[in-house]
Amino acid sequence: MLTIDEGRFRESFETYSEIGATDAGGLDRLALTDEDKRARDRFVDDLAALGLDVRIDEIGNVFGRREGIDPDAAPVLIGSHLDSQPSGGRFDGQLGVLSALETLRTLEAEGVETKRPIEIVDWTNEEGSRFQHAMLGSAVFTGETDLETALDLTDDDGVRLGDELERIGYDGDYSVDPFDIHSHVELHIEQGPKLETHGNAVGVVEGVYGIAWLNVTIRGESDHAGPTPMHTRRDAMAAAADAVSAIGALPNRLSADAVSTVGEFDVEPNSINVIPNRATFSVDLRSYDDDVVDRAVALAESEIEAACERHGTTADVEEVWRIPHTEFDSDVCDAVAAAAETAGVDYERLVSGAGHDAKYVSDVAPTAMIFVPSVDGQTHNESEFTAWADCVAGANVYANTVLSLANE
Ligand code: HGY
Ligand code: MN
Ligand code: MN
């Protein structure tokens, strides 16, 4: 059984956590910013120090390859993402990449050769916060999103993704066509309360929710806040407010696991004494049941329409992302469970409400995930935390899962 080097793992985690560190102890490391570049550069140096063959693909995904005894055998893929939310935590994505790095370092230190090669990856723009949509690097790698479309995406300041890749030196020329993969496992924080509530140190993740993202623009007419009678107004803000509160109430009409979120909101002209003529907002709808997500999208659209009826405004609703729910591979899930049992770690099987790159990889290879607990289920904020003992337990289960898959 492999045992990772806790000190080395911790040192790595603290070193990477300084890159894009916020004063409140989180990370601000948006995709393809200078902070993301510094984390990538550190990762490339660490892979090179292990003697791995490092490759950057056309969407900036960073791969490292550790050869196996049988170089022609399909590799096991490990890794996650180093980009973060703007006020994100240190564990989301980063813990998965560093658990994968520590796995390779442990294999090297123990002189363990595996039958199969092992490929490690840092995916581009997993968070989808700067460039929509999320899990972009893995979506392009698996052919779900077109490379040119992805390169032409722009952020809120109109900066083009392809230009940013070039600016930070990660506009790789390695083809994004997926290579043959034996299996893939991603370690990630749960970002929910289940493991902590149930007292389990590891989650065997069997699937991921379906997700729909909408961008909504409501148009009205700006006018004076004083003399304009209420019944003549075409107030984009009032219509948006109605729609947003109706969207917030949708899950109760749908299913126990359905969730809806309006995370982005903008109003124009944004002046205290002017009736807004334009309101734009995002909608994020999720459930493990694809029919529920379909119904959620339809209901959101009808609530937006009804709000516009009431306020004499008009709306454009654009569906910018839609992924069905994912069911991971039962054999790979069982390999994770077996490693947890061997390590004597309490675990449970669950599905993920958060999207992960493993979702897209599961479209091209047998895939599963390992979760470690999130304190208070907190995430996507600077207080995101996982107890170090849980990080170590998860990383050990991960290393032994990878070892068993790499010798299949
Ligand atoms: O949106 C998600 O679930 C992930 O954090 N990208
Ligand atoms: Mn993540
Ligand atoms: Mn995230």
Side-chain angles (χ1 to χ4, degrees):
M1 197 171 106
L2 284 179
T3 305
I4 66 161
D5 179 317
E6 286 190 37
R8 182 175 57 206
F9 185 38
R10 184 70 185 254
E11 193 267 330
S12 226
F13 185 79
E14 298 305 337
T15 303
Y16 278 74
S17 295
E18 284 163 18
I19 304 172
T22 64
D23 296 343
L27 283 185
D28 178 3
R29 193 192 289 165
L30 277 178
L32 309 187
T33 56
D34 292 343
E35 292 75 22
D36 188 21
K37 171 180 172 48
R38 284 172 43 218
R40 287 162 167 264
D41 292 348
R42 175 77 215 210
F43 183 58
V44 167
D45 288 350
D46 285 336
L47 299 184
L50 273 172
L52 304 188
D53 164 43
V54 181
R55 308 180 313 278
I56 317 292
D57 76 9
E58 295 162 292
I59 195 67
N61 295 320
V62 181
F63 290 95
R65 182 182 175 92
R66 182 180 197 262
E67 277 309 338
I69 297 163
D70 176 358
D72 300 328
V76 174
L77 177 69
I78 62 178
S80 188
H81 64 94
L82 288 172
D83 67 309
S84 81
Q85 287 287 338
S87 304
R90 296 178 296 156
F91 297 82
D92 179 353
Q94 178 168 275
L95 188 68
V97 172
L98 298 181
S99 299
L101 182 62
E102 179 51 32
T103 294
L104 296 184
R105 285 172 165 166
T106 302
L107 290 169
E108 206 53 30
E110 312 271 319
V112 174
E113 284 197 294
T114 55
K115 172 192 163 193
R116 297 181 175 281
I118 299 173
E119 292 262 0
I120 186 172
V121 64
D122 163 34
W123 296 112
T124 293
N125 190 55
E126 188 282 341
E127 292 295 355
S129 175
R130 183 178 180 197
F131 299 101
Q132 286 183 0
H133 60 78
M135 297 111 79
L136 188 74
S138 51
V140 171
F141 171 75
T142 55
E144 303 275 341
T145 296
D146 169 66
L147 173 63
E148 293 311 318
T149 305
L151 293 172
D152 285 337
L153 290 173
T154 55
D155 66 9
D156 290 345
D157 300 324
V159 178
R160 184 176 165 276
L161 186 148
D163 298 343
E164 283 293 84
L165 278 177
E166 216 172 305
R167 183 182 68 81
I168 68 168
Y170 280 88
D171 54 326
D173 46 21
Y174 188 75
S175 160
V176 287
D177 291 338
F179 46 81
D180 189 18
I181 296 166
H182 167 264
S183 55
H184 169 54
V185 187
E186 177 177 5
L187 180 143
H188 204 283
I189 52 172
E190 178 197 344
Q191 300 180 296
K194 291 199 181 90
L195 292 179
E196 183 182 57
T197 310
H198 302 155
N200 289 316
V202 159
V204 178
V205 188
E206 299 187 307
V208 177
Y209 278 24
I211 301 175
W213 278 7
L214 311 177
N215 279 337
V216 183
T217 303
I218 292 185
R219 291 184 182 82
E221 192 169 72
S222 51
D223 216 326
H224 200 297
T228 313
M230 293 306 283
H231 70 280
T232 64
R233 294 179 178 209
R234 293 177 55 222
D235 184 338
M237 178 68 213
D242 276 8
V244 167
S245 62
I247 287 166
L250 284 184
N252 298 333
R253 296 161 56 182
L254 288 162
S255 72
D257 80 337
V259 285
S260 67
T261 310
V262 173
E264 296 174 352
F265 198 100
D266 199 42
V267 65
E268 292 174 14
N270 204 32
S271 167
I272 187 166
N273 51 3
V274 178
I275 300 165
N277 67 327
R278 183 181 152 103
T280 53
F281 58 90
S282 64
V283 183
D284 179 313
L285 302 164
R286 306 189 187 203
S287 166
Y288 198 58
D289 180 336
D290 292 332
D291 292 341
V292 167
V293 178
D294 289 341
R295 290 203 335 264
V297 172
L299 284 172
E301 287 171 341
S302 64
E303 289 295 350
I304 291 162
E305 205 178 309
C308 285
E309 276 290 304
R310 286 193 295 277
H311 293 278
T313 56
T314 59
D316 286 325
V317 180
E318 185 197 2
E319 184 171 283
V320 291
W321 191 38
R322 182 75 173 86
I323 54 170
H325 86 288
T326 300
E327 291 176 28
F328 285 141
D329 180 90
S330 57
D331 293 338
V332 182
C333 288
D334 291 347
V336 175
E341 277 157 21
T342 309
V345 172
D346 291 336
Y347 70 92
E348 65 183 276
R349 292 172 183 257
L350 73 175
V351 293
S352 174
H356 298 288
D357 293 300
K359 174 265 168 297
Y360 280 117
V361 181
S362 74
D363 295 340
V364 298
T367 296
M369 289 183 73
I370 295 184
F371 272 173
V372 292
S374 293
V375 170
D376 299 334
Q378 281 280 318
T379 184
H380 276 194
N381 65 46
E382 293 161 290
S383 61
E384 175 183 281
F385 190 76
T386 296
W388 190 250
D390 287 336
C391 295
V392 172
N396 271 314
V397 170
Y398 189 57
N400 286 287
T401 304
V402 173
L403 178 64
S404 74
L405 292 169
N407 283 324
E408 274 186 5

